[in-house]
Amino acid sequence: VPMNEEVVARYATLVPGCREAVAQLRAAGLKIGSTTGYVRSIMERVLPVAAAQGYAPDCLVCADDLPEGRPGPLGMYRCFIDLQVYPPAAVVKVDDTAPGIAEGVAAGCLTVGVALSGNAVGLTPEALAATSAAERARLRAGATALLTAAGADHVIDTVADLPALLERLDAEA
């Protein structure tokens, strides 16, 4: 933890399109909650950096806020309470890790995996852009398989793709 606390802020650059996606979601009346596998002392370093880039969740639940973390549902339940949202099926859990997707499944949420801009691929936007189309397709397929196996209902490339997915799902409903 102390090592992470010292370096995490250096790696807290928002994913391209994140700020705009969150603005679209908020304009549609949605609330933004966050659960994380990081402990609060680490997130205290990340939050100001994210806020300076235009992102601040409406609530944050850290791994050490509750007696049980991911893949259990308690972090999501805390978000439900803090955000005053229910039923769980009306909540969309977006995550780039298998434990995070499993957390959403356990809580009864619609789950959306993030393939290319997340932990499953682990590349910076610049490194990802430097890959060939064939390599990106291979990386996407591997990440999609991992997130789908964890229970993801849908998989998108980056959080920038979330508003379009939600609009499509609303239109199909």
Side-chain angles (χ1 to χ4, degrees):
V1 169
M3 289 173 42
N4 275 325
E5 288 171 346
E6 291 304 314
V7 301
V8 71
R10 286 186 241 156
Y11 302 97
T13 303
L14 291 182
V15 170
C18 175
R19 182 180 55 242
E20 296 81 4
V22 169
Q24 282 183 272
L25 298 173
R26 285 206 166 112
L30 300 179
K31 298 175 184 179
I32 308 296
S34 179
T35 66
T36 179
Y38 282 137
V39 295
R40 189 151 297 271
S41 63
I42 293 173
M43 289 306 296
E44 287 171 349
R45 310 279 179 112
V46 172
L47 287 173
V49 176
Q53 297 171 73
Y55 172 74
D58 298 313
C59 82
L60 171 67
V61 180
C62 297
D64 59 342
D65 289 343
L66 300 166
E68 177 187 291
R70 298 170 171 190
L74 298 183
M76 291 300 301
Y77 293 166
R78 172 66 58 86
C79 275
F80 297 168
I81 293 166
D82 291 350
L83 296 173
Q84 300 174 13
V85 296
Y86 57 87
V91 174
V92 179
K93 168 64 169 159
V94 181
D95 210 287
D96 63 345
T97 68
I101 293 296
E103 174 186 38
V105 171
C109 302
L110 176 79
T111 55
V112 177
V114 178
L116 291 180
S117 67
N119 280 308
V121 168
L123 296 177
T124 64
E126 298 78 20
L128 183 63
T131 63
S132 68
E135 177 64 5
R136 252 187 324 282
R138 186 188 71 72
L139 292 168
R140 181 184 293 110
T144 297
L146 175 77
L147 296 165
T148 302
D153 296 303
H154 303 277
V155 178
I156 55 179
D157 285 349
T158 81
V159 293
D161 301 323
L162 184 60
L165 172 64
L166 296 181
E167 287 174 14
R168 182 175 59 82
L169 295 175
D170 281 346
E172 293 172 0

